[in-house]
Amino acid sequence: MGSPAFIARPTPDGYVGVHLQFDSSPPNMLPLLLATYQFRFGRDLEALSRHLVDNVVFAWEEIGTDLLDGSPPGLLHLLTGGEQWPSREMTDVVNLDRTPAEREVITRDNSARHHWGYILHPTGIEVISRQNDPRGPVISWDTDPRTHFSEAMALWMPGTPPPMSLPRDLPKLTPPPPAAPARTATRPPRR
């Protein structure tokens, strides 16, 4: 539950990101990130990156099921058992001298205390297991969010296939139809 991670954008020499405190192992994070990209953000990586990395004031305490808004019916239940919780940012964070803390930008140079890293590349999510290497395998953005991912750090090695398996015979995921526009009541014309 309390395995710290980071979510980051790639840079030419590494990445820049933001801290994430809770529920950050691949079985929790990858399905949520994949569904968020595919459905809530309509495959707009820039909008997703702004939301998860750039617009965070300090750090994420927890990423919530609000990111599954717009997902196909039943996906929330499948991924979370039907539980819902909001994303929460860390707030009112202070230094030991009680002054407001500044946001720490996570880079390769200061990410060692994080168990997991999720770098949002154009091709997919690079998963870094801090136990092994500063690089990791990339999960394609087209991966079905119902895929099962291992949380065994030793299996997330660069240059090896990601430790994942998709249950067989699942129907294709399709987003829910757009809501019909609200109808306004009209009065009959006066005669």
Side-chain angles (χ1 to χ4, degrees), residues 15-94:
Y15 49 81
V16 294
V18 64
H19 175 79
L20 167 64
Q21 186 63 35
F22 295 114
D23 290 338
S24 63
S25 67
N28 295 323
M29 284 300 296
L30 288 171
L32 187 60
L33 290 172
L34 291 166
T36 300
Y37 169 80
Q38 293 172 14
F39 301 107
R40 177 165 176 193
F41 286 94
R43 299 182 173 272
D44 184 342
L45 180 58
E46 185 57 30
L48 175 67
S49 297
R50 276 193 312 271
H51 181 78
L52 291 176
V53 179
D54 303 338
N55 296 342
V56 179
V57 174
F58 186 78
W60 287 109
E61 187 169 337
E62 181 175 26
I63 298 295
T65 59
D66 53 308
L67 292 180
L68 295 174
D69 291 350
S71 294
L75 187 59
L76 172 75
H77 184 75
L78 184 67
L79 297 182
T80 70
E83 292 184 39
Q84 294 185 353
W85 62 91
S87 295
R88 295 183 321 220
E89 287 190 47
M90 290 183 173
T91 57
D92 300 324
V93 180
V94 295

Side-chain angles (χ1 to χ4, degrees), residues 3-179:
S3 54
F6 63 88
I7 302 172
R9 286 178 172 273
T11 63
D13 58 343
Y15 49 81
V16 294
V18 64
H19 175 79
L20 167 64
Q21 186 63 35
F22 295 114
D23 290 338
S24 63
S25 67
N28 295 323
M29 284 300 296
L30 288 171
L32 187 60
L33 290 172
L34 291 166
T36 300
Y37 169 80
Q38 293 172 14
F39 301 107
R40 177 165 176 193
F41 286 94
R43 299 182 173 272
D44 184 342
L45 180 58
E46 185 57 30
L48 175 67
S49 297
R50 276 193 312 271
H51 181 78
L52 291 176
V53 179
D54 303 338
N55 296 342
V56 179
V57 174
F58 186 78
W60 287 109
E61 187 169 337
E62 181 175 26
I63 298 295
T65 59
D66 53 308
L67 292 180
L68 295 174
D69 291 350
S71 294
L75 187 59
L76 172 75
H77 184 75
L78 184 67
L79 297 182
T80 70
E83 292 184 39
Q84 294 185 353
W85 62 91
S87 295
R88 295 183 321 220
E89 287 190 47
M90 290 183 173
T91 57
D92 300 324
V93 180
V94 295
N95 296 314
L96 292 175
D97 65 0
R98 308 298 293 161
T99 58
E102 292 184 22
R103 175 181 171 168
E104 176 186 15
V105 176
I106 308 301
T107 66
R108 276 194 183 153
D109 295 334
N110 66 359
S111 64
R113 68 184 164 96
H114 295 87
H115 297 171
W116 297 99
Y118 301 96
I119 303 172
L120 309 178
H121 292 278
T123 57
I125 307 164
E126 181 180 6
V127 181
I128 297 175
S129 160
R130 297 306 301 177
Q131 177 182 7
N132 294 309
D133 201 281
R135 303 293 316 206
V138 175
I139 306 299
S140 167
W141 286 117
D142 292 328
T143 302
D144 191 309
R146 298 171 293 183
T147 299
H148 297 287
F149 298 95
S150 174
E151 68 180 308
M153 288 183 155
L155 298 178
W156 290 93
M157 299 293 291
T160 63
M164 59 189 221
S165 63
L166 180 63
R168 295 178 186 248
D169 302 324
L170 290 174
K172 183 176 170 120
L173 285 175
T174 55

